Amino acid sequence: MDLFRTKPIQQDVAADTGMRRDLNAFDLTMLGIGAIIGAGIFVLTGISAATQSGPAIVLSFVVAGVGCACAALAYAELAASIGGCGSAYGYGYAGFGEFPGWVIGWMLIAEYAIAVSAVSVGWSGYFNTALESVGMGLPHSLLHGPFDATPGIVNLPAVGIVLALVVLLASGAKISARANEVMVFIKLAAVALFIGVALFHVNAANWHPFIPPVEATPAVAGGGFDWNMKLIELLTAGAGGGTHFGVAGIFGGAAIIFFAYLGFDAVSTSAEETANPQRDLPIGIIGSLVICTVLYIVVSGLLTGIVSYHELNVPSPVAYALLKIGQNWAAGMISLGAIAGLTTVCLVMYYGLTRLLYAIARDGLLPRSLATLSPKSRSPVRIILFSGAVMVFMSGFVSLGNLASLTNFATLAAFIVVCVGTILLRRKRPDLPRPFKTPGYPFVPILGTVVCGYLMLNLSVTTWLAFVAWMSIGLVIYFGYSYSHSVLAVREK
């Protein structure tokens, strides 16, 4: 059984693969910003500050940003030299072998699919708030699925946004990119509005202490096991309970707000729809990450400067902070920006999922009948419809809860594969044309591997168990179907 058979590397990354090459560097940068700025900046900044790092949330963003920057540079090198719409899955398949490629592809499916479903539920909350502001709020039964903590019938707005994105993506990549750009400008305007207002209401006393002293996490009622404990705490201190704040809280906060950086890797799935991938992919990946990191640091610093971090553990901390300082009009505008922001996150992550599934199906690891393109839009419509149906069910009826943190795990693991893959391919294929080379090699990919690995240890025990369960399903599919049906397996027969 050859689990490490590799597929050939496509030397001409700009070759015709059947998809329309309509996207340019600006489109890719907007796609990256569309995916990155969303739930992270509008939700997780406050929650992470209140529960993990305090005002030092700024440093949490720096730590997470360093890991992402290293991975982004490695992504840029592999995207420019290997290409393909499979992102890290394709790089792993070409560099490590089929089984490692499948593992990373299966993790990326979790990243994209769960992220879309989780963010669509958040979108539903903001959308209903907007309806309530004009006296048209939906009843509880149409805002919660049957398996929520407070059961309902279906989360109707979440289902609605996913169905709308199905139609948009089926229309083609260029139309989707244009819609994304409009919404990106709206949410960037909302972020700029917050910065402009918050600058004049900062109270420096809220930044003291900048790094709050370590506190023990409250014990579980009845003395039970704390499943939300970080794995690194379990490994170093046993099951006695976790902590938050202090220096360790900075890393714990970084592991949480890492969700805020999800999406720039989805840019690499557009390789086969980019006019000049060797030039435009690195620009889109690195450019979007740099812009968003700067905005994250500024917003998180101002957020904890205008309101005490103790008060920020709320669903919409940015709007809440503006309400606290009496800027009700700005809070309303921010809510509109949040709706646009969450929409683009869903759009780009859904786009990345469909291109990833298309690449996997084209390689035969999933039924090849899925890997067909629409004659009109040149988009994988079958996969768009199939994955859309699954996410409609997840968004409307299933309560994801803490499972959303599985996206962080999957992304961190993918980043590690990309960083390590850059090193291995430099050694295995020194002759491979590399229009873009990772600067600071090999220090940068090694640093990215270490930072991402440490952030994985700062995720909860529940997240690790969810990962084991998800990978168990993936192994059953691979050995039950993928191994014997892959293109490489068929060629060997």
Side-chain angles (χ1 to χ4, degrees), residues 162-235:
V162 174
L163 289 176
L165 295 180
V166 169
V167 175
L168 185 59
L169 285 174
S171 301
K174 194 65 175 180
I175 295 176
S176 301
R178 288 292 173 264
N180 173 72
E181 286 160 13
V182 171
M183 290 182 284
V184 165
F185 282 121
I186 293 174
K187 68 180 178 181
L188 287 180
V191 172
L193 173 65
F194 171 77
I195 293 173
V197 172
L199 276 173
F200 299 98
H201 294 82
V202 170
N203 180 2
N206 289 325
W207 288 329
H208 182 78
F210 186 70
I211 303 178
V214 177
E215 295 180 11
T217 303
V220 177
F225 182 78
D226 182 7
W227 293 100
N228 290 320
M229 178 189 300
K230 303 167 192 171
L231 180 64
I232 193 170
E233 291 176 337
L234 179 63
L235 296 176

Side-chain angles (χ1 to χ4, degrees), residues 217-308:
T217 303
V220 177
F225 182 78
D226 182 7
W227 293 100
N228 290 320
M229 178 189 300
K230 303 167 192 171
L231 180 64
I232 193 170
E233 291 176 337
L234 179 63
L235 296 176
T236 57
T243 62
H244 54 286
F245 299 130
V247 174
I250 294 173
F251 289 94
I256 293 175
I257 55 92
F258 196 83
F259 188 89
Y261 283 102
L262 298 188
F264 77 82
D265 56 317
V267 174
S268 64
T269 66
S270 65
E272 295 180 23
E273 293 165 282
T274 302
N276 187 356
Q278 293 179 323
R279 182 185 74 90
D280 295 344
L281 283 172
I283 293 174
I285 292 171
I286 298 171
S288 60
L289 181 63
V290 170
I291 292 171
C292 294
T293 299
V294 172
L295 290 176
Y296 279 161
I297 292 173
V298 172
V299 169
S300 61
L302 290 174
L303 183 64
T304 54
I306 62 177
V307 174
S308 170

Side-chain angles (χ1 to χ4, degrees), residues 34-40 42-44 111-127 155 157-158 161-162 165 187 259-260 262 338-350 391 394-395 400 404 407:
I36 299 171
I37 295 183
F42 292 115
V43 179
L44 295 181
E111 173 193 344
Y112 296 143
I114 295 176
V116 171
S117 302
V119 174
S120 69
V121 172
W123 186 95
S124 172
Y126 271 101
F127 180 74
N155 192 326
I161 187 60
V162 174
L165 295 180
K187 68 180 178 181
F259 188 89
L262 298 188
I339 292 175
L342 296 177
T343 303
T344 60
V345 172
C346 290
L347 173 62
V348 180
M349 299 301 272
Y350 187 6
M391 288 186 295
M394 293 171 62
S395 302
L400 296 176
T407 60

Side-chain angles (χ1 to χ4, degrees), residues 335-397:
S335 295
L336 292 177
I339 292 175
L342 296 177
T343 303
T344 60
V345 172
C346 290
L347 173 62
V348 180
M349 299 301 272
Y350 187 6
Y351 170 85
L353 173 65
T354 60
R355 273 48 181 180
L356 170 66
L357 289 173
Y358 176 76
I360 295 175
R362 188 172 57 186
D363 291 334
L365 301 182
L366 290 175
R368 295 194 69 187
S369 58
L370 292 174
T372 57
L373 300 176
S374 164
K376 182 178 180 181
S377 66
R378 306 279 286 275
S379 297
V381 174
R382 287 187 183 179
I383 286 177
I384 291 171
L385 295 175
F386 171 76
S387 56
V390 173
M391 288 186 295
V392 161
F393 175 77
M394 293 171 62
S395 302
F397 301 97

